[in-house]
Amino acid sequence: NALRDNIMQKRFMDKEMTAFSGLLEEKLPTHIIKYNDSNFTEVKKEYYHSRYEEHSVLNPEYPIIRIISNGRLCSFISDSGIGYLKNKEICVTKHRESIEEPKGVFTFFQYKGGIISPTYAPLYDKNTAYRTLFEEGRANFFAKQKDVETKLSVTVNTKNNCEIRKLTIKNNSVKTKEGSILLYFEPVLTMAQTEESHPAFSGLFLSGEYEKS
């Protein structure tokens, strides 16, 4: 192109294109805008912290409720451990607005020295120290009784429609403790209005069996 007197430009710049050659020329600005660096403020980095709430004073009459869900299965649970499971419109476990007969999924550890529940309900034991820690997507329940401590973590599986509960038992004494763990709940597997209207009739369609591991 340089040796042949700009032959490429002449090939494309015919008479019709020459009429618009002025548009191809860069125009110089008539005025210049100058920005002062002082107008820009330094942006501080913000770090995300997981929100949590801890409660040590538990009152079932004024519950603090959290919902843990994967979009289909919802676990409604209070700071006292009262709650129920619901899969879309179907209630998995029984729900009642009563603190005298609380409903939910309750866990008990019975040993020679007594019995302890990681949640304040349903025992409402005044001799046990309880506290609840709510995190995003998880509820943690702590209980301490004499030389036994328990921790119960509750969450919902993000892929499968199931609730996951992890129970941790700590023996603070030097002696070995033997005991048994009981998990109690009342299944419903129907709509809440149907079960509340005819609880005995709804229970006729439920059956269960024990499988040895």
Side-chain angles (χ1 to χ4, degrees):
N1 186 51
L3 297 177
R4 295 188 176 274
D5 192 21
N6 296 329
I7 188 173
M8 295 301 295
Q9 283 86 343
K10 293 179 180 179
R11 176 175 297 178
F12 290 100
M13 294 300 295
D14 53 11
K15 293 181 179 181
E16 295 180 357
M17 288 297 297
T18 304
F20 302 97
S21 60
L23 299 176
L24 301 177
E25 297 179 0
E26 183 178 0
K27 296 181 179 181
L28 297 176
T30 58
H31 60 280
I32 300 176
I33 301 175
K34 183 180 179 181
Y35 294 95
N36 191 351
D37 294 338
S38 61
N39 294 333
F40 296 93
T41 57
E42 183 180 356
V43 179
K44 296 182 179 180
K45 294 183 178 180
E46 296 183 359
Y47 297 93
Y48 176 80
H49 297 280
S50 177
R51 293 181 297 177
Y52 66 91
E53 297 179 7
E54 186 172 0
H55 305 278
S56 57
V57 180
L58 309 177
N59 188 351
E61 295 184 355
Y62 302 97
I64 300 174
I65 300 175
R66 291 293 178 267
I67 301 175
I68 308 173
S69 175
N70 61 4
R72 301 173 302 276
L73 180 70
C74 297
S75 176
F76 300 82
I77 194 165
S78 72
D79 53 345
S80 299
I82 302 174
Y84 66 102
L85 283 171
K86 187 176 183 180
N87 186 16
K88 296 182 179 179
E89 299 299 326
I90 302 299
C91 285
V92 181
T93 61
K94 184 176 291 188
H95 170 62
R96 290 290 186 273
E97 297 288 345
S98 173
I99 61 175
E100 287 78 13
E101 297 181 2
K103 303 297 180 183
V105 182
F106 299 120
T107 307
F108 307 93
F109 173 63
Q110 185 175 12
Y111 58 101
K112 188 176 181 180
I115 183 172
I116 185 174
S117 172
T119 57
Y120 185 41
L123 299 180
Y124 304 122
D125 189 0
K126 301 298 183 181
N127 297 321
T128 303
Y130 297 96
R131 65 184 179 94
T132 303
L133 178 64
F134 286 127
E135 298 177 302
E136 289 193 2
R138 186 182 301 273
N140 302 292
F141 300 91
F142 303 87
K144 185 176 182 181
Q145 181 187 94
K146 297 179 181 178
D147 50 8
V148 177
E149 294 184 27
T150 62
K151 176 185 177 182
L152 178 66
S153 298
V154 183
T155 186
V156 173
N157 192 293
T158 56
K159 296 181 179 180
N160 301 318
N161 293 338
C162 64
E163 186 185 62
I164 301 175
R165 291 179 173 244
K166 180 181 178 182
L167 176 64
T168 304
I169 303 173
K170 182 179 180 181
N171 180 15
N172 294 323
S173 67
V174 295
K175 297 181 179 180
T176 302
K177 291 185 181 297
E178 296 182 358
S180 57
I181 299 173
L182 173 64
L183 183 68
Y184 173 81
F185 66 95
E186 296 184 44
V188 176
L189 303 180
T190 187
M191 298 184 66
Q193 298 84 348
T194 304
E195 192 277 328
E196 292 178 3
S197 301
H198 306 282
F201 181 76
S202 300
L204 297 176
F205 301 94
L206 294 176
S207 62
E209 61 182 12
Y210 174 74
E211 293 185 2
K212 294 183 179 181
S213 58

